[in-house]
Each structure stands twice: as C-alpha cells, then as structure tokens.
Amino acid sequence: MNELFWVVLNGIAYFVLFFVYWKKVKNFNSAVFVLFLWMLSAVGAILYEPVNYMGHVHKITFLPYLYLFTMNFIMFYPLLRFRDDLIMIIKVNKNMVKGICIVIGILAILPFIENLIYAIKHMSSSGIIQLQEKMNDRYIDAKDSLKFLSRPAIICYRLLCVIGMNMTTLCCMLFPIIFSVKKNKLILIGLIMANISFMLLGYNLMARFMIIIHIFLFIFVFFFLKNFYSVKIKQLFKKSFIIGGSTLLLLFIAMTFSRLRNFENTTKNVVSVYAYVGQYMSESMGNFNANMFASEKYIGMDAFQSAIIHKLLRQEQEDHRHVNEISMYLGYHSSQFYSAVGDYCRAYGKGTTVFIVIISSIVFTILLKREETISFSRIL
C-alpha cells in the first residue's frame, strides 16, 4: 500500500473525530480546540509528507497510526468527557491565588527586564541574524542557552518554573482568574510581565515552540474558563489577542525565515518555505510512525539524567554530542517532534506507555466530573 494512503487515512480519522465531537457538543470548548490542533496536524501531513526533506527511517504504515490515535483518544478522554463549557461557577481561594500571583510577579521582574532589553537590541534584521548565530552556538554547547541573562535572573526564571512545574500553564491559568476575581493592577502587571517574559525568552533563544506553546495554552485556557468571564472581559481578551497575535505572527515569520536561511546556509540544501513551516506543524505523527515506533529502546523521561544515557555517554557535559549519540542509541533522530504520546514511548517504551496512558485516563476521569461548580485547585 502506498505510504501516502495511510497519511490520508490518518488525516480523515482525525477530521472525523473533530467534526463528530464538535457537532455533539455544539460548542467550541477547550476539547474541541485540542481536536482541531490534532486535525490540523494530521491533515497538514497530507501535504507535508510528499515534500518531507528530513525523510524517515522506515516506511509509513497503518499500525503506528492506529496505536497513536488510540493512545491520543484514551489520554484525552477525560477532557472530552468533562465538558468545560458546562462550568458556570469556579470556587476560588482569593488569598491563595493572590499570594501565588504576588510571588510570580516579583520573580518575573528581573527576567522580564533583561529579556526585554536583550530583545530590543536584536529586533533588527541584523539582530535576528546574531540571535541565529547564537542559536547555532547553543547546538554546540547547550550550557550557554541562558548566558545572556544574569545569574539572579536565571534563578528567578527557574523558581518560576518550580512554582508551577510549568510556568506557562500556571501563568495562563492565573491571568484570567485574577482579572475576573479582583482587579488589582499591580498583580495584573506582574502576571503580564511573566507571560511576556516567557515569549521574549522564546524570541531571544530563537525557539519558536516556546512562543507557539504559550499562545496555544492561552487559547486553551480561554475556552476552558470562558463561562467564567464577563462580556467586557471577553471583548478585552479578543482585542488583546488580535493585537498581540498579529505582533507575534510577524515575529514568528521573521524567526522562521531567519532559521530557514540559516538551515540552507549550514546544510547547503534548498528547502521550500512550505516544507519548512509544514515540518513544524505536521511532522510529529509521521515521525512517530516511521521513525520511533519500530524502536524497542527507551531512555527515561530526562534523557540527560537517565542512567542509561550516562552509562552510554560516560560524561556529564550537556552538548550537541548528546543529541547525536542518543540518536544513534535509539535508531532515530531524538530531537524531532514525536507527539505527547511519543514522548512517553521514547521515555518508557510502547508497552509501558499503554499502561501509563490508561491509568492516568482513569484517574483524571474520576477527578474531572461534569459539574457546574468546580474549585480552582481541582482545575490546577
């Protein structure tokens, strides 16, 4: 069977899932948004795979797509069943939320100022090229990723990540909550600085995924909590999203063309803009199918602290050699995108991933009950 046939079939499967669920709930909630992203990736792969300039280790077949589709569905079943659009009341411990926001705001001051100054210095076309050159240096020595920030700023940034485990998710979740509960300008400014700081860091590192993830999480949170907002807040968010989204889109385009030019200069290969952008949007499912699925090796969730990798590399330095040697060990390129399920497979193997996904789905199905009233702590 032709490989493109399975790609098309996979795209149809995700489109049907999206369309059927959307028609069922008759509302564009957070679950529909997730299904829309899946559908966009799967359908986009129909156009991307024929021009895939990275290639695959194996041929695209049916079974890996079936495994990924099944695991995706089971993993997100609690969210599909939950129906956040039915939430009418969110119980909030105002003192707890206010305290968290104050801590985040204080910690965000230094990273925000230093990231903003560094970004302003590199806003021109020549500045973007300099950022690109620094990104190439980081591939050689990953320890220099945040060297443009002062030591105190790095400590503040890492503390922000520790507070919420994922600073992006926590900041996106807290911003609309605190805006709706109590309009404290200083707290709002602190959360705004934290959100902007994260996206500025993505720009300064030329890491587009950091910006895109932040935008997607913010949209997800907006849909998840939309019944909690007043009409005035919804209008404000929409205007802010249009203005901010347009700015970030231009920034994303500039970063993409810069990285494309850098790729062509370093590899001496000519790649179309669509193939380069399409890779970013649609490569994960194909990579999982034809690169990862056939491998029986796994490395633990943290590749650089895994006992297997330490034994394999016999060194502690985190540099580009790790990526190459990990890829040789696994049998596929380790730094490509392989989907959320793919991350678990790379860490623990396909069999253990099935167990993890099923158990976590059962637990979250129990925790996320369909209710009109829910506490903020349960949402977190």
Side-chain angles (χ1 to χ4, degrees):
M1 193 73 72
N2 187 285
E3 290 182 76
L4 188 58
F5 173 81
W6 300 122
V7 178
V8 173
L9 187 64
N10 185 62
I12 293 174
Y14 281 96
F15 174 79
V16 170
L17 178 62
F18 163 75
F19 187 77
V20 170
Y21 184 79
W22 186 21
K23 284 294 183 180
K24 178 182 178 181
V25 300
K26 297 178 181 178
N27 201 321
F28 204 98
N29 57 21
S30 59
V32 174
F33 177 66
V34 172
L35 294 181
F36 173 76
L37 294 180
W38 284 354
M39 184 267 294
L40 194 66
S41 177
V43 173
I46 298 173
L47 300 176
Y48 167 70
E49 287 297 341
V51 295
N52 179 0
Y53 61 94
M54 297 295 290
H56 292 306
V57 179
H58 308 281
K59 288 187 176 182
I60 291 176
T61 56
F62 172 69
L63 184 59
Y65 274 148
L66 178 62
Y67 176 95
L68 182 59
F69 184 90
T70 305
M71 291 299 99
N72 276 333
F73 182 80
I74 295 174
M75 179 182 289
F76 283 91
Y77 174 75
L79 181 63
L80 300 177
R81 181 181 178 277
F82 176 57
R83 293 291 303 276
D84 56 74
D85 53 294
L86 299 179
I87 298 176
M88 301 306 297
I89 300 174
I90 299 178
K91 295 180 180 179
V92 179
N93 185 325
K94 296 182 180 180
N95 292 329
M96 179 194 73
V97 171
K98 185 178 179 180
I100 295 174
C101 291
I102 290 173
V103 173
I104 288 177
I106 294 173
L107 291 175
I109 293 174
L110 201 53
F112 172 78
I113 293 173
E114 293 191 14
N115 270 302
L116 181 61
I117 292 173
Y118 192 78
I120 292 174
K121 289 180 179 178
H122 296 85
M123 279 297 179
S124 63
S125 58
S126 59
I128 293 178
I129 294 174
Q130 291 177 16
L131 289 177
Q132 188 66 63
E133 292 172 349
K134 288 181 171 62
M135 188 190 79
N136 294 337
D137 293 339
R138 288 196 303 275
Y139 277 109
I140 299 173
D141 188 355
K143 293 184 296 183
D144 289 338
S145 294
L146 299 177
K147 69 178 182 180
F148 61 90
L149 296 177
S150 67
R151 184 65 181 170
I154 293 174
I155 292 174
C156 288
Y157 174 75
R158 288 176 177 168
L159 284 174
L160 282 169
C161 294
V162 170
I163 289 172
M165 296 182 69
N166 186 329
M167 184 185 78
T168 311
T169 307
L170 186 63
C171 287
C172 287
M173 188 69 76
L174 284 171
F175 184 77
I177 289 289
I178 198 66
F179 197 96
S180 299
V181 173
K182 188 176 182 179
K183 296 181 180 179
N184 187 307
K185 292 183 179 180
L186 290 178
I187 292 179
L188 282 173
I189 290 172
L191 287 177
I192 291 172
M193 285 195 303
N195 279 280
I196 295 178
S197 178
F198 188 86
M199 287 185 278
L200 285 174
L201 182 64
Y203 173 76
N204 292 334
L205 293 175
M206 291 296 284
R208 296 170 298 171
F209 77 94
M210 295 179 68
I211 298 175
I212 294 299
I213 286 175
H214 202 83
I215 294 173
F216 283 168
L217 279 172
F218 212 93
I219 297 174
F220 176 85
V221 169
F222 175 81
F223 284 120
F224 195 91
L225 301 176
K226 66 180 181 180
N227 287 344
F228 190 59
Y229 310 141
S230 65
V231 175
K232 185 178 179 180
I233 292 176
K234 287 181 181 180
Q235 292 175 346
L236 177 62
F237 282 170
K238 288 178 181 179
K239 291 179 181 178
S240 300
F241 182 77
I242 292 173
I243 297 172
S246 301
T247 303
L248 291 172
L249 178 61
L250 293 175
L251 194 62
F252 183 83
I253 292 173
M255 292 168 65
T256 298
F257 275 97
S258 176
R259 292 189 59 164
L260 174 59
R261 182 169 57 181
N262 175 75
F263 176 84
E264 292 178 337
N265 291 337
T266 54
T267 63
K268 307 303 180 184
N269 294 325
V270 178
V271 179
S272 68
V273 174
Y274 174 76
Y276 195 72
V277 176
Q279 176 199 9
Y280 198 76
M281 179 182 73
S282 304
E283 72 166 344
S284 61
M285 294 183 184
N287 288 342
F288 178 89
N289 186 309
N291 293 355
M292 174 181 286
F293 192 78
S295 176
E296 296 298 330
K297 297 179 180 178
Y298 49 92
I299 57 177
M301 186 55 78
D302 189 339
F304 295 116
Q305 295 181 9
S306 165
I308 297 175
I309 295 303
H310 279 175
K311 182 178 179 181
L312 173 70
L313 300 178
R314 297 184 298 279
Q315 61 179 340
E316 297 293 331
Q317 184 181 2
E318 295 183 13
D319 57 24
H320 191 46
R321 291 192 299 275
H322 271 206
V323 176
N324 292 333
E325 296 191 37
I326 292 171
S327 299
M328 290 177 62
Y329 172 74
L330 292 172
Y332 56 85
H333 201 295
S334 63
S335 63
Q336 289 181 302
F337 298 119
Y338 293 94
S339 77
V341 173
D343 287 339
Y344 282 103
C345 289
R346 179 171 49 190
Y348 307 117
K350 296 186 291 292
T352 305
T353 295
V354 173
F355 176 78
I356 292 173
V357 168
I358 292 176
I359 294 300
S360 62
S361 181
I362 292 173
V363 170
F364 282 105
T365 298
I366 295 172
L367 292 175
L368 294 175
K369 297 178 181 179
R370 289 184 180 179
E371 297 175 342
E372 291 187 359
T373 303
I374 189 171
S375 66
F376 179 65
S377 58
R378 279 185 62 194
I379 293 176
L380 289 179

